Amino acid sequence: MDKTGRDRQWNLWYLLSAVLGVLFLRLVFMQWQLGEPLPYSEFLQELKSDNVKEVAIFDNEIQGVLSHPRTNGRTAFVTTRVDKQLAEELALHNVKFSGVIRSTLLRDILGWIIPAVLFFGIWMFVIRRMMEKGGLGSGFMSIGKSHAKVYVEQNTRVTFDDVAGVDEAKEELQEVIGFLRDPASYGRLGARVPRGILLVGPPGTGKTLLARAVAGEASVPFFSINGSEFVEMFVGVGAARVRDMFEQARQKSPAIIFIDEIDALGRARGAYGLGGHDEKEQTLNQLLAELDGFDTASGLVLLAATNRPEILDPALLRAGRFDRQILVDRPDKKGRIQILDVHLRKVKLAGGVDREQIAALTPGFSGADLANLVNEAALLATRHARAAVALEDFTAAIERIVAGLEKKNRLINPLEREVVAYHEMGHALVALALPGSDSVHKVSIIPRGIGSLGYTIQRPIEDRFLMTQQELENKMAVLLGGRAAEQLIFERATTGAADDLVKVTEIARSMVTRYGMSRALGQLSYEGNRNVFLPAPAAEYQSEIRNYSETTAREIDCAVREIVDAAFLRASAILRENRTGLEAGAKKLLDKETLNEDEVKAFAPHPALPAAP
């Protein structure tokens, strides 16, 4: 509760105390006005002596004035009536008697006031708890309030030392930190701090961590909110929350406002089919107005993060609003080594753990993936009661993340086990035979995950950002090596190559429709832009609206089939030439269940076959 709320609460208590005090004084004054209590027997004696001057008769009470003062000097009196017959009987025996009315004040308090107070207290407690937890009470009582959480520097405890693998992004954000710390120095040449900075990149690459590190480095308040928290059922609520959040930030400026998953708020207008009065559009319009309205000299910086930049409204991305877009991509090998250095600080490592080797085994891993890898390796070492985390723990953790949990108790009949051994050795031998393919790190027939009965892990020699047509064809041949081995040895196909076929089909279709690698179809693109940060399944691509004819669609299908068939023939030719090595390797794999890199190389084909024309 803020200071204003506490002051309002104390004022209510003061008012209640004053009202109770006035009521108490009034009660005392009324009691004093009633007169001195007089026993009823004495009242009868005074009445017989003609000393009663005047009376006021009530149901159970008589008030009056005596003609002479009593011992205390007062003439006013009050007495309680007693039954006439009983009074006469008591008077005959000279008994002093008086009527008494039993007080019901305590009973009235217990019967009426206390239940009301208890009900009011319980109601206030429930409402307050609901407001604190953001439930119905909070949503209804503060429907237009911003739900932004305020973090200050000592609570974030994150600096650039905790962020690794994104050196370019940190360098871009250094200017923002400098402006927040010393705006006069950075603005001496007329420059201004960017109004908005958009962090784009795949999930888990550290966009939120980077934003918190900026606040920690600049030592300024950090307002953090998710884009979905602005959107409500009622039109206008999101816009009110945007106004409230910026107003809170202005009161604490210089400050940083961070909106995570801004695509939930800033999606392109007109994309919903509900007209211009949609709640999301109203909220986006208010955000655009705030970006135009606030002065950068006040020290407010808006940071936002998304992994779907292609759906954001163009008005949101124009210069003057989000002036700068910073890519936070998956780290390369050097970046992965730096990230591992950060996460390995809290882990007790055994001797011989090579960070470069771990980084080489984790191409495509994001920062979050590497953090999870270190944690999984530490858990595996703890499970095996080791004194420190060894390299084999990291290798096992990589296999668990990539291939799934090991299923040691899954029973496989001998024929299926033999098929899996030939299948995996087919992958490995084709990979070793083709030039430029990633080296084979491990081959195993131990079931893992949901449906995997075996796996082959390849380790890339270096990070690659471009692939040639020959390299894509080699990759397809490696994927089809398992099916080719099954056809060569058992002369029949199994369902074990289902996942390989999906990947091969996607590569071949991309070669034809996106990369222009088909001579028959030319240098044209037949697919729309895909999300580069959130790869969707192939079924989603197939459901896209086609912008080409049925004849072209048939040519695409024929070209894809031709590329896949050529890759399968290459894989089959390699294994046919090295059938002895395939059989020997499969027997070795059936015996040991897992072969490392050196053991697999003993069965490699010699010499390597050239690429297909």
Side-chain angles (χ1 to χ4, degrees), residues 420-432 443 445 456 481-482 485 575 581-589 595 599-600 603:
V420 173
Y422 278 99
H423 183 101
E424 299 303 333
M425 281 304 300
H427 287 309
L429 295 184
V430 174
L432 292 173
V443 180
I445 59 172
T456 300
L575 296 178
L582 174 64
E583 294 177 349
K587 292 179 181 178
K588 184 79 171 181
L589 189 58
L595 300 179
E599 291 172 330
V600 174
F603 308 101

Side-chain angles (χ1 to χ4, degrees), residues 272-514:
Y272 315 105
L274 297 177
H277 297 285
D278 184 76
E279 162 66 3
K280 291 185 179 180
E281 295 191 8
Q282 297 288 348
T283 308
L284 175 58
N285 290 335
Q286 184 62 43
L287 178 61
L288 297 176
E290 292 290 346
L291 283 172
D292 287 336
F294 79 87
D295 185 10
T296 54
S298 62
L300 286 183
V301 176
L302 178 63
L303 293 178
T306 182
N307 42 44
R308 304 183 67 190
E310 73 281 355
I311 70 170
L312 293 180
D313 194 274
L316 192 64
L317 301 178
R318 73 161 175 83
R321 286 172 177 159
F322 278 100
D323 298 310
R324 185 173 297 177
Q325 298 182 25
I326 299 177
L327 175 63
V328 187
D329 206 352
R330 291 186 177 91
D332 55 11
K333 183 178 179 181
K334 179 181 177 182
R336 293 196 296 273
I337 295 175
Q338 295 174 355
I339 294 174
L340 287 171
D341 288 337
V342 172
H343 294 298
L344 291 175
R345 295 173 186 170
K346 302 178 182 179
V347 177
K348 186 177 181 181
L349 295 177
V353 175
D354 187 2
R355 292 172 172 81
E356 292 191 8
Q357 186 174 356
I358 299 174
L361 289 171
T362 54
F365 274 43
S366 64
D369 294 331
L370 293 172
N372 184 42
L373 169 64
V374 174
N375 185 62
E376 287 289 341
L379 290 175
L380 288 173
T382 304
R383 184 181 303 171
H384 293 93
R386 294 192 178 94
V389 185
L391 182 60
E392 58 189 38
D393 296 316
F394 287 98
T395 304
I398 293 173
E399 295 175 7
R400 183 172 183 176
I401 293 173
V402 174
L405 184 64
E406 193 175 72
K407 303 288 186 180
K408 295 182 179 180
N409 296 326
R410 179 177 291 176
L411 298 179
I412 303 176
N413 63 54
L415 178 59
E416 289 183 349
R417 193 165 178 268
E418 187 178 5
V419 171
V420 173
Y422 278 99
H423 183 101
E424 299 303 333
M425 281 304 300
H427 287 309
L429 295 184
V430 174
L432 292 173
L434 293 174
S437 297
D438 298 334
S439 62
V440 178
H441 176 66
K442 179 180 287 189
V443 180
S444 176
I445 59 172
I446 298 177
R448 282 184 176 270
I450 299 176
S452 174
L453 299 179
Y455 58 94
T456 300
I457 297 180
Q458 292 179 261
R459 181 176 64 184
I461 301 174
E462 57 184 356
D463 289 328
R464 297 293 304 275
F465 303 99
L466 291 176
M467 296 190 73
T468 65
Q469 181 174 352
Q470 179 183 345
E471 289 170 337
L472 290 173
E473 291 171 349
N474 290 346
K475 188 174 183 178
M476 288 190 295
V478 173
L479 288 169
L480 293 172
R483 170 59 64 89
E486 294 176 9
Q487 293 276 23
L488 179 63
I489 302 299
F490 302 99
E491 297 181 353
R492 62 177 181 271
T494 68
T495 58
D499 187 59
D500 300 331
L501 297 179
V502 171
K503 295 177 181 178
V504 167
T505 304
E506 184 176 350
I507 294 173
R509 183 166 290 274
S510 295
M511 291 174 62
V512 174
T513 60
R514 297 180 62 201

Side-chain angles (χ1 to χ4, degrees), residues 122-299:
I122 294 173
W123 182 77
M124 289 296 295
F125 174 77
V126 172
I127 292 297
R128 181 172 298 179
R129 290 296 297 271
M130 292 175 68
M131 292 179 66
E132 290 176 355
K133 293 185 176 181
L136 178 62
S138 176
F140 181 75
M141 301 296 289
S142 59
I143 193 169
K145 295 294 182 181
S146 171
H147 293 177
K149 300 177 182 178
V150 182
Y151 297 94
V152 291
E153 184 270 336
Q154 59 266 25
N155 287 335
T156 59
R157 299 177 183 176
V158 179
T159 64
F160 277 168
D161 293 336
D162 302 308
V163 183
V166 285
D167 295 336
E168 296 82 2
K170 290 196 293 185
E171 184 177 352
E172 289 289 323
L173 292 171
Q174 285 287 357
E175 295 179 0
V176 177
I177 298 172
F179 267 108
L180 292 173
R181 285 182 173 177
D182 188 10
S185 175
Y186 269 80
R188 70 185 187 278
L189 300 180
R192 62 170 178 81
V193 63
R195 279 194 175 93
I197 299 175
L198 183 64
L199 305 176
V200 297
T205 52
K207 298 183 291 295
T208 304
L209 183 67
L210 193 59
R212 297 185 65 189
V214 172
E217 290 284 342
S219 301
V220 296
F222 179 56
F223 289 77
S224 175
I225 191 169
N226 193 286
S228 62
E229 296 186 41
F230 288 107
V231 182
E232 289 286 348
M233 177 177 64
F234 306 103
V235 176
V237 173
R241 288 181 177 173
V242 171
R243 289 191 298 269
D244 182 68
M245 183 185 67
F246 275 87
E247 184 62 31
Q248 291 183 43
R250 288 189 186 97
Q251 294 174 2
K252 295 182 178 292
S253 63
I256 292 175
I257 302 174
F258 177 63
I259 303 178
D260 199 7
E261 305 296 344
I262 196 174
D263 50 272
L265 166 66
R267 190 170 183 177
R269 288 167 289 185
Y272 315 105
L274 297 177
H277 297 285
D278 184 76
E279 162 66 3
K280 291 185 179 180
E281 295 191 8
Q282 297 288 348
T283 308
L284 175 58
N285 290 335
Q286 184 62 43
L287 178 61
L288 297 176
E290 292 290 346
L291 283 172
D292 287 336
F294 79 87
D295 185 10
T296 54
S298 62

Side-chain angles (χ1 to χ4, degrees), residues 540-552:
E540 181 175 330
Y541 302 147
Q542 295 174 0
S543 64
E544 294 177 351
I545 299 176
R546 298 184 311 186
N547 55 0
Y548 45 83
S549 65
E550 291 293 335
T551 304
T552 304

